[in-house]
């Protein structure tokens, strides 16, 4: 390499030595090397640091030539990000470079390099992007993610105007919103409510422009910093009416808390703030006869973002009130023969998923004890069983990180079968609790509603280790309708049991019973 006249050969060999921290060999190869070799090394950022003074001087001169000769911004940035030198000087140059460079979104190299630079120089990248936001220059995709963790909190009218005046899916508005302080975010929340009040006129006619503005501001608020948003909401909380409290709760629930690169995990102060708001708003709504089930459910959902066992009694109050109102609406809808109206709409609307997710987030023995109490309940018994099953899986099964699954995962069936064969009596406390609740539901005087509830609980318990319950399982299969029976058998297989189809009890005859409202509407479609 020393003898080779080709500068690229020298640079390639030096790169290999530098990768192995062979400083002496690097210096040996570069003795007497020409400027082109040093230019290649500076251009590619191949050497971070060497002790040889001659090499350091050659690299410094090459970097200076590159800057004076107008090297492509991409190459300059590469040299700054991966090269050597004083951190403060490189940060200052990186800010100027990011602020002024041309960004062509069809050429992703420069954008990707900006994201790589964020790992080493987060503040410099944020400063550079902020300059582009102020000047209205083209931004890289998801620019607000580059601002995350910057520590900015500006009370800036110009940035606020950018965040307020843009339409939906606007990177510049999102980036501007991501650096606003509590007062500015509070003004965004105020403008959002003003737009909401104009969405429908006195006659109920929808105003498209006001609707678009409302949803645009709501989206941009989703890019604000957690601390700024919670401070703004807390300042507005005291004068908020019932619907405003629900919408403020929804703003918190929509806010990303570590779910992606933009979101920052809620710290201890944020968790305490959310828990305090939840209790305050919930008590005010529970004391208001005009509060709706939807508003109560919005408050309950906050427990997902501030999971604490101390909230369980309060969450139980919200659930019990929802169940009471839901049952009253169902009775009223039956009395009205399911005529169109509030009672029928509420009767057909379940809020159980919100409460299930809230209880699931609070993973504690106290949650499990509370869910056992609800297992016999025909409305929340099945969600309670799902919470118990979720606790068992979280403690005993590996997670692949996927939030949504398209279907059953049979990949662990062989493992489950081996475990079941080695100890057929092995069970879980969660399955035992669920099957204990099932037993009185399938007694001799059980109603059809009780039997359906028992099958729904059994479907959940069947997927968990449940010991030897052959007689009860046969009894449940005998009373299950077609589709619940299929789910039941599917979960038995997932738990490791081998199903002998020849010995299955006969399927229950007849079509599944339908909800009265569904039956009434289907009759207009004719026979099927």
């Amino acid at each position: 390499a020393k003898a080779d006249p080709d500068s690229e050969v020298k640079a390639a060999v030096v790169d290999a030595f530098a990768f192995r921290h062979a400083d002496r060999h690097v210096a040996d190869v570069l003795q007497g090397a020409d400027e082109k070799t040093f230019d290649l090394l500076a251009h590619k950022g191949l050497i971070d640091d060497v002790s040889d003074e001659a090499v350091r001087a050659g690299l410094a001169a090459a970097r200076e030539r590159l800057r004076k000769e107008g090297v492509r911004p991409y190459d300059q940035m590469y040299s700054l990000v991966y090269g050597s030198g004083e951190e403060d000087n490189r940060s200052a140059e990186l800010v100027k470079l990011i602020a002024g460079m041309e960004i062509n979104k069809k050429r992703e190299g420069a954008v990707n390099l900006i994201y790589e630079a964020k790992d080493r120089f987060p503040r410099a990248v944020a400063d550079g992007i902020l300059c582009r936001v102020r000047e209205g220059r083209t931004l890289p995709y998801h620019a607000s993610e580059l601002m995350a963790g910057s520590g900015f909190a500006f009370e800036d009218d110009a940035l606020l105007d950018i965040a307020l005046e843009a339409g939906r899916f606007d990177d510049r508005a999102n980036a501007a919103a991501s650096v606003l302080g509590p007062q500015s975010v509070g003004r965004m929340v105020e403008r959002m409510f003003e737009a909401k009040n104009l969405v429908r006129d006195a006659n109920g006619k929808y105003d498209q422009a006001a609707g678009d503005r409302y949803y645009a501001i709501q989206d941009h608020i989703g890019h604000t910093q957690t601390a700024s948003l919670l401070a703004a909401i807390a300042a507005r909380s005291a004068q908020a009416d019932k619907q405003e409290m629900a919408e403020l709760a929804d703003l918190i629930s929509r806010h990303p808390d570590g779910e992606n690169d933009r979101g920052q995990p809620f710290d201890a102060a944020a968790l305490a703030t959310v828990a305090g708001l939840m209790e305050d708003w919930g008590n005010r709504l529970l004391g208001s006869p005009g509060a709706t089930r939807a508003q109560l459910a919005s408050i309950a959902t906050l427990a997902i973002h501030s999971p604490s066992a101390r909230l369980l009694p309060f969450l139980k109050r919200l659930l019990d009130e929802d169940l009471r109102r839901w049952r009253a609406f169902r009775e009223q809808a039956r009395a009205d023969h399911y005529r169109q109206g509030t009672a029928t709409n509420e009767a057909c609307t379940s809020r159980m998923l919100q409460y299930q997710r809230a209880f699931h987030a609070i993973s504690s023995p106290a949650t499990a004890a509370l869910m056992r109490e609800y297992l016999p309940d025909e409305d929340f018994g099945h969600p309670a069983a799902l919470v118990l099953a979720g606790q068992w899986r979280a403690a005993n099964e590996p997670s692949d990180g996927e939030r949504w699954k398209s279907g059953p995962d049979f990949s662990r069936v062989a493992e489950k079968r081996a475990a079941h064969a080695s100890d057929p009596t092995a069970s879980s406390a969660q399955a035992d609790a669920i099957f204990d609740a099932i037993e009185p539901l399938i007694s001799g005087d059980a109603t059809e509603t009780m039997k359906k509830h028992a099958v729904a609980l059994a479907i959940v318990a069947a997927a968990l280790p449940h010991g030897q319950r052959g007689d009860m399982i046969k009894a449940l299969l005998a009373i299950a309708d077609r589709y619940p029976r299929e789910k039941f058998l599917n979960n038995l297989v997932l738990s490791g049991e081998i199903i002998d189809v020849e010995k299955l009890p006969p399927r229950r005859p007849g079509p599944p019973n339908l909800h009265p409202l569904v039956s009434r509407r289907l009759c207009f479609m004719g026979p099927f």
Side-chain angles (χ1 to χ4, degrees):
K2 290 171 64 177
D4 199 305
D6 192 328
S7 299
E8 292 189 1
V9 171
K10 290 183 185 291
V13 174
V14 167
D15 180 24
F17 282 137
F19 180 76
R20 292 160 178 81
H21 301 286
D23 289 354
R24 180 170 58 84
H25 297 299
V26 168
D28 196 16
V29 173
L30 290 178
Q31 281 187 5
D34 58 11
E35 289 185 351
K36 184 177 180 182
T37 303
F38 281 102
D39 288 345
L40 284 171
L41 295 171
H43 175 77
K44 296 180 180 180
L46 296 178
I47 302 178
D48 289 332
D49 189 24
V50 289
S51 57
D52 187 89
E53 290 298 329
V55 174
R56 291 166 64 90
L59 287 171
R63 292 191 182 106
E64 186 62 27
R65 285 194 297 273
L66 289 177
R67 294 189 182 99
K68 288 182 177 179
E69 291 172 6
V71 182
R72 292 183 310 163
Y74 176 88
D75 297 325
Q76 295 180 46
M77 189 185 305
Y78 191 97
S79 177
L80 289 170
V81 173
Y82 293 105
S84 60
E86 292 293 333
E87 292 281 332
D88 292 343
N89 293 337
R90 292 161 68 192
S91 294
E93 291 186 43
L94 195 58
V95 172
K96 295 178 183 178
L97 191 58
I98 293 175
M101 68 187 295
E102 293 296 324
I103 291 181
N104 184 344
K105 294 186 178 182
K106 294 182 179 180
R107 298 176 181 177
E108 298 182 352
V111 175
N112 291 338
L113 190 54
I114 294 175
Y115 274 90
E116 292 174 23
K118 183 178 184 295
D119 295 335
R120 297 185 64 182
F121 302 95
R123 180 59 184 262
V125 170
D127 281 331
I129 296 298
L130 183 58
C131 290
R132 301 186 73 90
V133 171
R134 291 185 184 280
E135 295 170 6
R137 297 176 62 84
T138 303
L139 298 173
Y141 289 116
H142 307 298
S144 61
E145 295 179 8
L146 293 168
M147 310 291 287
S150 64
F152 294 149
F154 298 122
E155 305 298 350
D156 188 298
D157 289 342
L159 292 173
L160 178 62
D161 289 342
I162 293 171
L164 286 174
E165 300 305 323
R168 301 184 73 179
F169 315 114
D170 188 290
D171 282 342
R172 187 184 183 211
N174 292 337
S178 71
V179 298
L180 292 177
Q183 295 180 23
S184 296
V185 175
R187 291 169 64 186
M188 290 185 71
V189 173
E190 183 178 356
R191 295 289 185 86
M192 182 192 76
F193 282 122
E194 290 174 359
K196 179 69 179 294
N197 293 334
L198 298 175
V199 167
R200 293 193 181 276
D201 61 19
N203 298 319
K205 184 179 179 181
Y206 185 78
D207 186 320
Q208 185 67 49
D212 291 344
R213 179 169 175 76
Y214 166 73
Y215 287 113
I217 298 174
Q218 186 184 68
D219 286 351
H220 301 326
I221 289 174
H223 289 260
T224 59
Q225 295 180 45
T226 300
S228 294
L229 176 63
L230 292 180
I233 289 176
R236 190 182 181 90
S237 173
Q239 68 266 27
D241 60 23
K242 295 187 292 293
Q243 186 56 32
E244 281 193 8
M245 285 187 281
E247 293 211 29
L248 291 173
D250 287 340
L251 283 180
I252 297 173
S253 295
R254 289 164 52 90
H255 204 68
D257 53 352
E259 298 174 356
N260 53 39
D261 292 339
R262 172 165 56 90
Q264 299 294 316
F266 284 11
D267 58 19
L271 294 174
T273 299
V274 174
L277 290 171
M278 177 182 173
E279 291 182 295
D280 176 38
W281 293 339
N283 284 320
R284 288 160 64 183
L285 289 178
L286 287 170
S288 173
T292 66
R293 293 175 59 224
Q295 292 166 351
L296 292 174
S298 294
I299 305 305
T301 304
L302 289 177
I304 300 171
H305 302 274
S306 182
S308 171
R310 76 177 181 87
L311 293 174
L312 285 174
F314 179 71
L315 194 56
K316 182 181 186 301
R317 287 179 58 203
L318 292 174
L319 172 60
D320 289 343
E321 179 63 15
D322 183 276
L323 291 172
R324 184 189 68 78
R325 295 188 187 190
W326 192 21
R327 289 161 184 161
F329 279 125
R330 293 207 301 263
E331 290 181 7
Q332 184 63 47
R334 282 192 291 269
D336 294 342
H337 303 288
Y338 294 96
R339 289 193 299 270
Q340 184 174 359
T342 300
T344 297
N345 291 338
E346 288 288 345
C348 297
T349 303
S350 170
R351 306 284 177 187
M352 297 301 100
L353 180 59
Q354 288 98 315
Y355 291 95
Q356 175 192 325
R357 293 181 63 218
F359 282 115
H360 176 75
I362 306 173
S363 180
S364 74
T367 305
L370 182 59
M371 293 301 98
R372 292 190 186 98
E373 296 178 16
Y374 278 102
L375 289 174
D377 188 286
E378 65 180 66
D379 292 317
F380 196 69
H382 181 251
L386 290 173
V387 172
L388 290 173
Q391 285 192 344
W392 182 88
R393 292 192 179 93
N396 296 279
E397 291 191 341
S399 174
D400 55 11
E402 292 185 20
R403 295 186 62 189
W404 311 109
K405 296 184 182 294
S406 58
D409 179 9
F410 293 98
S411 63
R412 302 187 66 220
V413 168
E415 175 189 339
K416 296 289 185 69
R417 283 185 178 177
H420 183 70
S422 65
D423 186 4
T425 63
S427 185
S428 60
Q430 291 81 359
D432 292 341
I434 297 172
F435 276 110
D436 287 345
I438 289 172
E439 191 167 0
L441 296 174
I442 57 175
S443 61
D445 58 348
T447 64
E448 284 299 308
T449 298
M450 293 168 66
K451 291 177 182 179
K452 289 179 183 296
H453 182 46
V455 172
L457 293 178
I459 290 171
V460 179
L464 307 177
H466 52 266
Q468 294 180 310
R469 302 179 184 272
D471 292 341
M472 182 178 287
I473 288 173
K474 287 180 181 179
L476 288 162
L477 286 170
I479 63 175
D481 291 324
R482 176 181 175 184
Y483 294 114
R485 178 184 170 104
E486 290 177 1
K487 292 180 181 178
F488 192 11
L489 290 169
N490 181 85
N491 282 358
L492 288 171
V493 171
L494 290 174
S495 73
E497 288 203 29
I498 297 177
I499 306 299
D500 187 345
V501 294
E502 299 296 334
K503 296 181 180 180
L504 288 178
R507 182 169 66 84
R508 184 180 185 182
N513 293 330
L514 299 176
H515 188 281
L517 179 60
V518 177
S519 301
R520 184 173 68 83
R521 288 178 176 172
L522 285 175
C523 72
F524 295 109
M525 299 169 60
F528 59 93

